[in-house]
């Protein structure tokens, strides 16, 4: 008697399960396939993708200071002191610097071991696998695109304030907060053109602007010392106070999950202040995106990353001491603390100086983020995760000119016509997720490739890298629920693109790359 359809059904179900199981087995290795350090370095020698090596340790240090020190030094210190920590905000800056320094050491080890464009993306590809590399690259694109757009709008706001103090008023609809933010668009277009012409030329302009910015910051610190009243430092650690908690989507995820009520001042306020000012340090990781354009990356990368972090910590602590010494933390204006501190002492002219410093400071931040975004996309395109044609390097300038133009246009449009203020926390969550994966990646690569030559090694590994990952995870949990929801939506979009395009076109899978054992001999690039 012939079997009936019902008798065939269990067998058909088993066949489908077996096919699904085989697809899963094939898929998992491709998701976790890594790109060897040797392969990554060999790819940098391909003529059509070869960047010009011209950066020194000084260039990298200036690069780092340029992106970390922005307008926040004039506003964030006073706001954090007024709202959460009082004069002890100085301790918060030190704690945040230590936490950030742990991540910085992890970046320094990776950058000296894998001197290739792409920063956390490239590091994750070498240690954790392709899927994690794609996710972190996707996050970094979001971070730098939104970061450059938000900062360009902030630059436009400070420019308007500075011009008003000089008696020049810009048209309301064509300036910050108007229908089209023309100053922000012009800034991005000018810096984009500079970035396209050459990395060294960009850094020369960056050097001048950073020098102006540091001069103004130091001038503000020295001038402020004359108005410091030691009585304003008492109590240095104000007694703890309960604070009104937020609810719904605006509350921190940690509060949503645990029900812990927030508090200000006291020891808890110092830690809350550290979580708040940690984001003032974000940006040093952009230095790692230029590893491929550094003359001696094994030596210069660690110097540039760590030196820029130390310089920024000293400046932040000095400004915090000055502003809390000039005015009692209770009376500080959280919106423009430093400018109003000088106005409190009858020195209103200092507001003009501070605005000028903010304009110079934010210019360097936008330039650095634009360069970082192009290098991330360049690395992903060269690996085939994005269209490879984007990664072509200009024969004369030796810069990824196609990507530079695309990044410039997108950031200019977003900065000019989009109210991106509500998305600022997206910059933070993208950066912190990168910090976590880089910290974990150091531990993994130490175990899988102990033979690699490392120009810098994180001491006390794996303790310090794991501690770095835990601290960054804690800071991520302090971001709002709505930020996490937006982040998950962005990740879902990234996973869809990876599944539809990137996984099938990755050069690691197709074999379309140089053999690292027999690298090509190429002519030196035209100067």
């Amino acid at each position: 008697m012939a079997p009936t359809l019902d008798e065939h059904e269990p067998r058909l179900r088993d066949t489908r399960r077996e096919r699904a199981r085989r697809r899963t087995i094939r898929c998992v290795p491709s998701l976790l396939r890594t790109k060897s350090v040797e392969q990554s370095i060999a790819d940098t020698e391909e003529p059509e993708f070869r960047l010009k090596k011209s950066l020194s340790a000084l260039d990298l240090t200036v690069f780092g200071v340029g992106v970390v020190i922005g307008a926040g030094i004039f506003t964030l210190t006073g706001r954090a002191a007024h709202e959460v920590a009082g004069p002890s905000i100085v301790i918060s800056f030190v704690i945040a610097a230590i936490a950030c320094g742990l991540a910085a050491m992890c970046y320094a080890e990776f950058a000296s071991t894998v001197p290739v464009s792409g920063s956390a993306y490239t590091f994750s590809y070498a240690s954790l696998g392709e899927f994690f590399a794609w996710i972190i690259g996707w996050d970094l694109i979001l971070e730098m695109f939104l970061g450059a757009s938000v900062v360009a709008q902030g630059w436009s706001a400070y420019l308007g304030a500075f011009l008003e103090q000089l008696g020049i008023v810009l048209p309301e609809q064509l300036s910050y907060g108007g229908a089209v933010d023309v100053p922000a668009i012009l800034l991005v277009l000018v810096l984009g053109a500079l970035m396209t012409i050459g990395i060294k030329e960009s850094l020369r302009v960056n050097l001048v602007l950073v020098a102006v910015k540091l001069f103004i910051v130091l001038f503000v610190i020295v001038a402020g010392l004359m108005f410091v009243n030691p009585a304003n430092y008492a109590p240095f650690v104000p007694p703890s106070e309960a604070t009104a908690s937020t609810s719904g989507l605006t509350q921190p995820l940690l509060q949503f999950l645990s029900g812990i009520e927030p508090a200000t001042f006291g020891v808890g306020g110092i830690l809350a202040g550290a979580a708040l000012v940690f984001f003032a340090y974000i940006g040093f990781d952009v230095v790692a995106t230029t590893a491929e354009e550094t003359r001696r990356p094994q030596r210069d990368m660690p110097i540039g990353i760590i030196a820029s972090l130390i310089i920024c910590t000293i400046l932040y602590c000095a400004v915090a001491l000055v502003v809390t010494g000039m005015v009692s933390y209770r009376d500080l204006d959280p919106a423009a603390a430093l400018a109003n501190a000088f106005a409190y002492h009858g020195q209103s002219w200092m507001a003009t100086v501070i605005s000028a410093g903010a304009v110079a400071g934010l210019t360097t931040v936008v330039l650095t983020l634009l360069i970082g975004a192009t290098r991330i996309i360049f690395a992903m395109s060269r690996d085939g995760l994005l269209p490879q044609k984007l990664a072509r390097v200009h024969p004369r300038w030796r810069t990824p000119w196609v990507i530079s133009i695309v990044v410039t246009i997108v950031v200019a449009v977003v900065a000019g016509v989009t109210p991106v203020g509500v998305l600022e926390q997206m910059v933070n969550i993208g950066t912190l997720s990168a910090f976590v994966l880089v910290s974990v990646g150091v531990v993994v690569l130490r175990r899988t490739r102990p033979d690699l030559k490392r120009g810098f090694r994180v001491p006390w590994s794996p303790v310090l890298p794991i501690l770095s990952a835990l601290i960054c995870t804690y800071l991520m949990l302090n971001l709002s629920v709505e930020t996490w929801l937006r982040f998950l939506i962005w990740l879902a979009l990234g996973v869809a693109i990876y599944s539809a395009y990137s996984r099938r076109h990755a050069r690691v899978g197709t074999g379309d790359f140089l053999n690292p054992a027999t690298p090509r001999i190429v002519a030196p690039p035209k100067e």
Side-chain angles (χ1 to χ4, degrees):
M1 181 177 178
T4 64
L5 184 60
D6 290 339
E7 291 173 331
H8 276 300
E9 192 171 334
R11 195 178 306 166
L12 290 172
R13 282 200 300 268
D14 290 341
T15 304
R16 292 192 193 101
R17 289 195 192 100
E18 180 62 26
R19 283 201 298 264
R21 188 184 70 83
R22 286 198 297 266
R23 283 196 300 267
T24 302
I25 291 173
R26 288 196 302 268
C27 181
V28 170
S30 69
L31 293 177
L32 300 179
R33 60 193 177 194
T34 59
K35 183 180 180 183
S36 70
V37 173
E38 292 81 3
Q39 185 60 65
S40 295
I41 295 174
D43 285 350
T44 67
E45 294 300 321
E46 293 185 83
E48 63 269 36
F49 301 135
R50 195 181 186 200
L51 299 174
K52 183 178 179 181
K53 298 182 181 294
S54 59
L55 304 183
S56 64
L58 176 61
D59 292 324
L60 298 174
T61 302
V62 172
F63 199 55
V65 173
V67 70
V68 174
I69 299 292
I73 197 169
F74 302 118
T75 56
L76 181 61
T77 50
R79 178 161 66 90
H82 175 75
E83 295 177 352
V84 295
S88 60
I89 191 63
V90 177
I91 302 176
S92 299
F93 271 112
V94 174
I95 294 173
I98 293 172
C100 206
L102 295 176
M105 286 192 291
C106 295
Y107 269 87
E109 175 167 330
F110 257 128
S112 66
T113 309
V114 194
V116 178
S117 287
S119 184
Y121 157 76
T122 300
F123 307 156
S124 299
Y125 213 156
S127 56
L128 301 177
E130 183 176 282
F131 180 71
F132 290 102
W134 165 263
I135 290 297
I136 209 61
W138 187 244
D139 289 348
L140 290 174
I141 291 174
L142 174 72
E143 170 203 341
M144 295 183 188
F145 268 68
L146 285 183
S149 302
V150 169
V151 175
Q153 288 194 333
W155 179 91
S156 177
Y158 273 99
L159 177 67
F162 177 66
L163 293 177
E164 281 185 17
Q165 290 157 4
L166 300 179
I168 302 172
V169 180
L170 298 175
E172 184 176 343
Q173 290 300 310
L174 299 179
S175 56
Y176 177 74
V180 179
D181 194 339
V182 174
I185 292 175
L186 292 177
L187 172 71
V188 174
L189 292 178
V190 170
L191 296 181
L194 180 64
M195 169 184 68
T196 304
I197 291 173
I199 184 70
K200 189 66 176 179
E201 290 74 15
S202 301
L203 278 241
R204 285 173 184 156
V205 173
N206 196 55
L207 176 61
V208 173
L209 292 173
V210 168
V212 171
K213 174 168 58 177
L214 292 181
F215 172 78
I216 291 176
V217 170
L218 292 173
F219 176 74
V220 166
I221 292 171
V222 173
L225 286 173
M226 296 186 292
F227 302 102
V228 168
N229 180 2
N232 289 327
Y233 293 129
F236 190 74
V237 182
S240 179
E241 298 177 4
T243 185
S245 60
T246 55
S247 59
L249 296 180
T250 59
Q251 66 180 314
L253 182 63
L254 184 62
Q255 179 184 323
F256 172 78
L257 296 175
S258 66
I260 298 175
E261 294 297 326
T264 56
F265 304 113
V267 176
I270 293 175
L271 297 177
L276 179 61
V277 302
F278 179 89
F279 304 119
Y281 291 102
I282 283 179
F284 74 85
D285 56 311
V286 182
V287 176
T289 65
T290 62
E292 197 171 321
E293 295 157 278
T294 304
R295 293 172 189 161
R296 294 178 294 178
Q298 284 78 13
R299 169 186 176 273
D300 294 343
M301 266 291 153
I303 292 175
I305 291 173
I306 296 173
S308 59
L309 184 62
I310 292 173
I311 292 171
C312 294
T313 301
I314 293 172
L315 291 176
Y316 277 134
C317 289
V319 169
L321 281 171
V322 167
V323 73
T324 54
M326 292 177 68
V327 181
S328 171
Y329 71 93
R330 296 286 188 189
D331 300 324
L332 283 172
D333 182 352
L338 201 55
N340 284 285
F342 280 99
Y344 181 86
H345 290 280
Q347 307 295 319
S348 299
W349 63 275
M350 283 298 296
T352 305
V353 176
I354 291 172
S355 295
V359 169
L362 292 181
T363 303
T364 64
V365 176
V366 175
L367 176 60
T368 308
L369 289 173
L370 288 175
I371 293 174
T374 60
R375 272 43 181 185
I376 293 292
I377 298 175
F378 170 77
M380 297 176 74
S381 300
R382 183 170 60 188
D383 288 337
L385 299 183
L386 292 173
Q388 274 190 288
K389 291 183 179 179
L390 293 174
R392 302 302 181 192
V393 172
H394 194 278
R396 178 181 176 187
W397 300 328
R398 308 307 301 175
T399 61
W401 63 282
V402 177
I403 296 174
S404 298
I405 292 172
V406 172
V407 169
T408 300
I409 293 173
V410 172
V411 172
V413 171
V414 173
V417 302
T418 307
V420 293
V422 295
L423 298 178
E424 289 180 8
Q425 285 197 17
M426 292 294 291
V427 178
N428 298 333
I429 197 168
T431 304
L432 287 169
S433 61
F435 286 4
V436 171
L437 287 184
V438 168
S439 300
V440 173
V442 165
V443 178
V444 172
L445 199 62
R446 284 277 191 101
R447 291 182 178 276
T448 58
R449 293 298 307 274
D451 58 304
L452 289 175
K453 180 181 179 182
R454 291 166 169 83
F456 175 84
R457 299 176 70 91
V458 179
W460 301 317
S461 179
V463 176
L464 291 189
I466 292 174
L467 183 61
S468 172
L470 292 175
I471 291 173
C472 293
T473 301
Y474 169 76
L475 292 171
M476 289 177 70
L477 293 175
N478 279 275
L479 297 174
S480 67
V481 175
E482 62 182 353
T483 297
W484 276 90
L485 291 176
R486 293 191 185 109
F487 183 59
L488 293 176
I489 292 171
W490 178 256
L491 287 183
L493 178 61
V495 170
I497 294 174
Y498 175 79
S499 302
Y501 178 87
S502 304
R503 188 167 65 88
R504 293 185 292 108
H505 291 82
R507 297 174 74 192
V508 168
T510 62
D512 178 25
F513 47 69
L514 288 178
N515 182 354
T518 57
R520 300 177 189 173
I521 300 175
V522 298
K526 297 178 181 178
E527 299 294 336

